[in-house]
Amino acid sequence: MAYPNAPEAAPRAGTRSNGLAIASLVCGIVGLLVFAIILGPLAIIFGGVGLSRAKAGAGHRGMAIAGMVLGIIDVVVFAILLAAASKHGGSMYVHFG
Protein backbone atom coordinates (compact mmCIF):
# COMPACT_ATOMS: atom_id res chain seq x y z
CA MET A 1 0.00 0.00 0.00
CA ALA A 2 1.45 3.38 -1.03
CA TYR A 3 1.10 6.45 1.13
CA PRO A 4 0.05 9.54 -0.80
CA ASN A 5 2.21 12.05 1.12
CA ALA A 6 5.30 9.85 1.62
CA PRO A 7 8.62 11.45 0.59
CA GLU A 8 10.47 9.96 -2.35
CA ALA A 9 13.67 8.02 -1.78
CA ALA A 10 16.87 10.00 -2.16
CA PRO A 11 18.88 9.23 -5.29
CA ARG A 12 21.96 7.08 -4.79
CA ALA A 13 25.39 8.60 -4.99
CA GLY A 14 27.35 8.03 -8.18
CA THR A 15 30.43 6.50 -6.53
CA ARG A 16 30.93 2.78 -6.69
CA SER A 17 32.42 0.76 -3.88
CA ASN A 18 35.84 -0.82 -4.27
CA GLY A 19 35.75 -4.02 -2.25
CA LEU A 20 39.12 -5.22 -3.48
CA ALA A 21 40.84 -2.12 -2.10
CA ILE A 22 39.26 -2.80 1.28
CA ALA A 23 40.20 -6.50 1.06
CA SER A 24 43.77 -5.50 0.21
CA LEU A 25 44.03 -3.28 3.27
CA VAL A 26 42.55 -5.94 5.56
CA CYS A 27 44.86 -8.65 4.17
CA GLY A 28 47.86 -6.35 4.60
CA ILE A 29 47.05 -5.51 8.21
CA VAL A 30 46.21 -9.07 9.25
CA GLY A 31 49.23 -10.34 7.33
CA LEU A 32 51.49 -8.33 9.61
CA LEU A 33 50.28 -10.50 12.49
CA VAL A 34 49.63 -13.96 11.00
CA PHE A 35 49.92 -15.85 7.70
CA ALA A 36 52.20 -13.27 6.07
CA ILE A 37 53.23 -15.62 3.26
CA ILE A 38 49.60 -16.08 2.19
CA LEU A 39 48.05 -12.71 2.99
CA GLY A 40 50.97 -10.58 1.77
CA PRO A 41 50.74 -11.64 -1.89
CA LEU A 42 46.95 -11.51 -1.71
CA ALA A 43 47.16 -7.92 -0.45
CA ILE A 44 49.46 -7.03 -3.36
CA ILE A 45 47.14 -8.64 -5.93
CA PHE A 46 43.94 -7.20 -4.46
CA GLY A 47 45.61 -3.80 -4.17
CA GLY A 48 46.67 -3.84 -7.81
CA VAL A 49 43.21 -4.73 -9.04
CA GLY A 50 41.64 -2.28 -6.60
CA LEU A 51 43.96 0.47 -7.82
CA SER A 52 42.98 -0.17 -11.43
CA ARG A 53 39.31 -0.04 -10.40
CA ALA A 54 39.96 3.19 -8.51
CA LYS A 55 41.41 4.72 -11.67
CA ALA A 56 38.16 3.74 -13.41
CA GLY A 57 36.19 5.72 -10.82
CA ALA A 58 35.49 3.20 -8.06
CA GLY A 59 37.17 5.15 -5.25
CA HIS A 60 39.30 4.02 -2.28
CA ARG A 61 42.56 4.64 -4.14
CA GLY A 62 44.42 5.27 -0.88
CA MET A 63 43.23 1.98 0.61
CA ALA A 64 44.45 0.09 -2.45
CA ILE A 65 47.89 1.71 -2.25
CA ALA A 66 48.13 1.15 1.52
CA GLY A 67 47.15 -2.50 1.06
CA MET A 68 49.82 -2.99 -1.59
CA VAL A 69 52.49 -1.38 0.61
CA LEU A 70 51.48 -3.50 3.61
CA GLY A 71 51.50 -6.62 1.40
CA ILE A 72 55.06 -5.85 0.30
CA ILE A 73 56.05 -5.29 3.94
CA ASP A 74 54.44 -8.64 4.85
CA VAL A 75 56.50 -10.50 2.25
CA VAL A 76 59.75 -8.72 3.20
CA VAL A 77 59.26 -9.38 6.93
CA PHE A 78 58.49 -13.04 6.21
CA ALA A 79 61.65 -13.35 4.09
CA ILE A 80 63.74 -11.77 6.86
CA LEU A 81 62.27 -14.09 9.49
CA LEU A 82 62.80 -17.09 7.22
CA ALA A 83 66.44 -16.11 6.66
CA ALA A 84 66.97 -15.61 10.40
CA ALA A 85 65.40 -18.98 11.18
CA SER A 86 67.50 -20.79 8.59
CA LYS A 87 70.67 -19.15 9.93
CA HIS A 88 69.92 -20.54 13.40
CA GLY A 89 69.13 -24.06 12.26
CA GLY A 90 65.37 -23.55 11.97
CA SER A 91 64.96 -22.22 15.48
CA MET A 92 63.81 -18.68 16.21
CA TYR A 93 65.39 -18.79 19.68
CA VAL A 94 68.12 -16.18 19.91
CA HIS A 95 70.51 -16.13 22.87
CA PHE A 96 71.74 -12.69 23.86
CA GLY A 97 74.96 -12.54 25.80
Side-chain angles (χ1 to χ4, degrees):
M1 168 164 45
Y3 297 100
N5 294 331
E8 293 184 26
R12 294 187 75 166
T15 60
R16 297 183 330 203
S17 179
N18 193 349
L20 288 176
I22 297 168
S24 172
L25 185 62
V26 170
C27 285
I29 292 171
V30 174
L32 289 173
L33 304 173
V34 292
F35 301 121
I37 193 61
I38 297 169
L39 295 178
L42 282 177
I44 296 169
I45 293 168
F46 290 160
V49 176
L51 188 59
S52 67
R53 286 187 180 180
K55 288 180 182 177
H60 298 298
R61 182 175 185 268
M63 282 189 186
I65 293 171
M68 288 177 63
V69 169
L70 287 172
I72 291 168
I73 291 171
D74 289 347
V75 172
V76 169
V77 167
F78 179 78
I80 291 171
L81 291 176
L82 186 66
S86 66
K87 182 179 178 183
H88 296 289
S91 172
M92 289 302 294
Y93 177 76
V94 179
H95 179 67
F96 294 104

